Amino acid sequence: MTQLTVGRHTLSTQLPRFANLRLPSASEQTGSVMPQTGRLTYQLEGEGMPAGGKPTVRSRRLGYALRRHREAAGLDQSDGAEAIMKSVTKVSRLESGQTSASALEIRTLLDRYGVEDAEERNRLMEWSRRSNERGWWIDYQPTLRSGYADHITLESDATYIRIWEPVLVPGLLQTPEYIEAVITTGPRVIPPDQVAELVKLRLERQHRIEAGGVRFAAVIWEPALMGLPDEGDIRENQLTHLLDVGKRQNVTVQLLPTSAALTAGMSGSFTAFSFGVEANVEAVTLDNPAHVNVVEGPEELAQYVNVFDQLRSAAMSPDESASRIQQLLGAESAAQRSDK
């Protein structure tokens, strides 16, 4: 018989004899005793379902990376299960983002899959640690559309963000007045207090760009700037802000000429995210009035990478784009003077 202690309970139980069986220490136990049956249930620290009982965008990314490394090593899920002494079902659920794993299990899998690159190992360990973490934006959750929290999670973790916008100035480059105009023009009637919260959230999201913590490249179709609102100083302030933010070393702003309508028509707006030193796109988000969709399939991602590359090739250079924005700003200033 073996004694197990869970909380205030000490139980005696007959366990199968496995050569390498290690029972969890008191600090690792997060289990309980079911009152109806007296059956002991426990899990190791760091295991269990992702937050909310369903895959999170971080748990899915971790699972996809583990599967990619396993397949690159020529191994199947049973090899991973044997390495961590768990079932094949556990490995399958881990790779689909439906369950989390302890730090020891992640390290063991990376060892078994031959992942030696220290930066990649640290990156995946960090994803594992943060897979159930509550984001800083959690207080804004009641005001967010379905899927928008996933977009912000990707945005917060990314090392490189690429965005195509044919109609609006990208959210991460918007001024407060323009943000409010965009939000209040949408199909939903949003109470004034929620509008203020959403403006605040979008401005907070811009902090990573301002701090230089992420590379950011935007391609904007020229008519999006020509159609900026005329109310107050929205147009002038937004054009000025684009010029200012475009001078940052981590930001690239390019305009796609109005004449490139066929190229602009290849796709609606989307945002592509990379998470490591390499610029490989690992997720794309598609925004619509009802919700935000996350694209993670390799074949679909390749299509969006191809579209963005074509858009960027057809666009004006950053310097040419800045000159064009300056022309639009000069025309706006001249129009204001003539009105006076």
Side-chain angles (χ1 to χ4, degrees), residues 39-102:
R39 181 177 299 170
L40 171 68
T41 63
Y42 72 84
Q43 65 182 44
L44 295 180
E45 177 98 25
E47 294 185 347
M49 286 293 293
K54 61 181 180 180
T56 66
V57 70
R58 283 177 176 145
S59 69
R60 292 199 306 269
R61 277 169 36 220
L62 173 63
Y64 172 74
L66 290 172
R67 184 182 69 187
R68 177 165 48 83
H69 285 305
R70 174 180 60 76
E71 292 175 346
L75 303 174
D76 57 30
Q77 291 182 341
S78 63
D79 295 309
E82 182 180 2
I84 60 175
M85 293 188 293
K86 293 293 176 70
S87 67
V88 172
T89 300
K90 162 77 175 186
V91 174
S92 176
R93 289 173 59 80
L94 179 59
E95 290 184 355
S96 64
Q98 295 177 329
T99 190
S100 54
S102 67

Side-chain angles (χ1 to χ4, degrees), residues 238-304:
Q238 182 61 70
L239 291 172
T240 301
H241 181 65
L242 279 176
L243 285 174
D244 291 341
V245 75
K247 297 174 183 177
R248 297 181 181 275
Q249 290 190 345
N250 60 312
V251 175
T252 301
V253 176
Q254 293 179 257
L255 298 185
L256 182 71
T258 302
S259 59
L262 292 179
T263 304
M266 288 193 301
S267 173
S269 63
F270 64 86
T271 306
F273 302 93
S274 302
F275 302 99
V277 176
E278 301 296 330
N280 299 327
V281 172
E282 299 182 45
V284 164
T285 56
L286 309 174
D287 195 356
N288 64 61
H291 51 81
V292 177
N293 293 326
V294 180
V295 176
E296 297 171 296
E299 293 183 1
E300 293 175 284
L301 292 178
Q303 293 182 40
Y304 283 102

